[in-house]
Amino acid sequence: MSFLSPALKLENLPSQPSMNLDHLSEEKRYNKNNIVAKWCAPINGKMFRIELEHGTTSGKRMVWVNGKEVIRRDWMFKLVGEDTFYIDQIRCIIRVDPAPGFKYEYSLFIDGKPHDQYTEEQTKQYRLWLTTIDNIEYRIMLELDTLNLYINDVLRQETAEFVDGGTDTVIQENGIEFILQARSSGNKLSGIVHTLLANHVEIPEAKIQEIMQEPCSILST
């Protein structure tokens, strides 16, 4: 006679440990201390932070984009491999490879290109300004090819107006007047010079390549 409930028969028991995190909210599942690799990249005029969790014993892999979960694999016997996901319709792949000393290497590919190559190409197509006014952070990005202007990842529809020597684009945001000035540099190699003003005060241009090293400083979690 068996003293086990019918539901506890051996054939009904799970073949692997239960590590499902569905009972936790997304905010509680996100833990910066579990991040093993992170990258930052401009995609379609927006800045994105991509982070990877990798359980080196369980094989668990979780991918976060700007603090939002996009991939979760709670239990994987294979500790290396690839995971594919999309950011703003752009295909991304994170690859986990073995490294000497029982360690792992993590690589990110965006639109078929290694992260470093992709971001280097993208940074040549954008201008970036960062400022904080009244405790609100503003990230302004200008796409040079299309002249699309984004404020905190939102595409603005304001139209540039012709002024002496170039154009001005005036944007009102939270009571702040942003003016994007475009002026000729007088040098064929330099082309057009873009300057951003906030309430008539010039905002220094940020270096995107430097910002890439500290993605958390420009993206809230």
Side-chain angles (χ1 to χ4, degrees), residues 6-220:
L8 293 178
K9 289 183 179 180
L10 183 61
E11 59 268 25
N12 293 333
L13 295 178
S15 59
Q16 59 190 36
S18 176
M19 300 182 64
N20 195 290
L21 300 178
D22 285 336
H23 64 288
L24 297 177
S25 66
E26 187 174 61
E27 291 182 357
K28 291 184 178 180
R29 289 198 299 268
Y30 178 76
N31 186 340
K32 289 183 179 180
N33 295 327
N34 295 334
I35 301 301
V36 297
K38 62 182 176 181
W39 303 265
C40 190
I43 299 176
N44 293 337
K46 308 168 189 176
M47 294 296 291
F48 292 92
R49 182 183 67 250
I50 302 103
E51 298 171 297
L52 171 68
E53 290 186 43
H54 182 218
T56 55
T57 54
S58 67
K60 180 188 76 171
R61 289 205 291 269
M62 299 178 70
V63 177
W64 302 84
V65 176
N66 288 1
K68 300 295 183 181
E69 178 187 296
V70 296
I71 288 180
R72 172 156 52 99
R73 306 188 191 283
D74 292 319
W75 181 267
M76 298 183 67
F77 289 104
K78 189 176 181 181
L79 300 181
V80 297
E82 295 182 351
D83 285 299
T84 300
F85 56 100
Y86 289 82
I87 298 178
D88 213 17
Q89 300 182 345
I90 299 297
R91 186 169 183 256
C92 302
I93 296 174
I94 288 181
R95 190 169 71 196
V96 181
D97 293 308
F102 300 101
K103 297 181 180 180
Y104 299 91
E105 293 180 348
Y106 307 102
S107 306
L108 172 66
F109 297 84
I110 305 174
D111 203 18
K113 301 174 183 178
H115 170 261
D116 289 348
Q117 178 185 344
Y118 176 85
T119 52
E120 183 177 356
E121 294 176 358
Q122 290 294 304
T123 52
K124 296 177 181 178
Q125 302 178 25
Y126 291 96
R127 293 290 182 268
L128 171 67
W129 295 268
L130 304 172
T131 187
T132 300
I133 302 175
D134 295 332
N135 296 320
I136 300 177
E137 294 184 359
Y138 294 94
R139 182 174 60 259
I140 301 94
M141 291 191 70
L142 173 67
E143 188 174 11
L144 297 178
D145 289 346
T146 63
L147 296 182
N148 285 337
L149 187 65
Y150 299 82
I151 295 184
N152 291 349
D153 298 338
V154 177
L155 175 63
R156 305 301 301 232
Q157 302 296 332
E158 285 81 357
T159 303
E161 298 182 358
F162 287 99
V163 297
D164 290 340
T167 63
D168 282 356
T169 304
V170 180
I171 301 173
Q172 301 290 338
E173 180 76 10
N174 295 330
I176 301 168
E177 183 181 71
F178 291 99
I179 301 178
L180 177 65
Q181 298 179 336
R183 302 289 187 269
S184 172
S185 65
N187 186 320
K188 292 183 179 180
L189 295 178
S190 300
I192 302 298
V193 175
H194 294 93
T195 304
L196 184 69
L197 307 178
N199 291 337
H200 305 288
V201 177
E202 182 176 346
I203 301 174
E205 184 176 343
K207 301 297 183 182
I208 294 184
Q209 288 288 18
E210 295 177 3
I211 296 300
M212 294 295 176
Q213 307 304 317
E214 295 293 340
C216 291
S217 66
I218 63 169
L219 292 170
S220 59

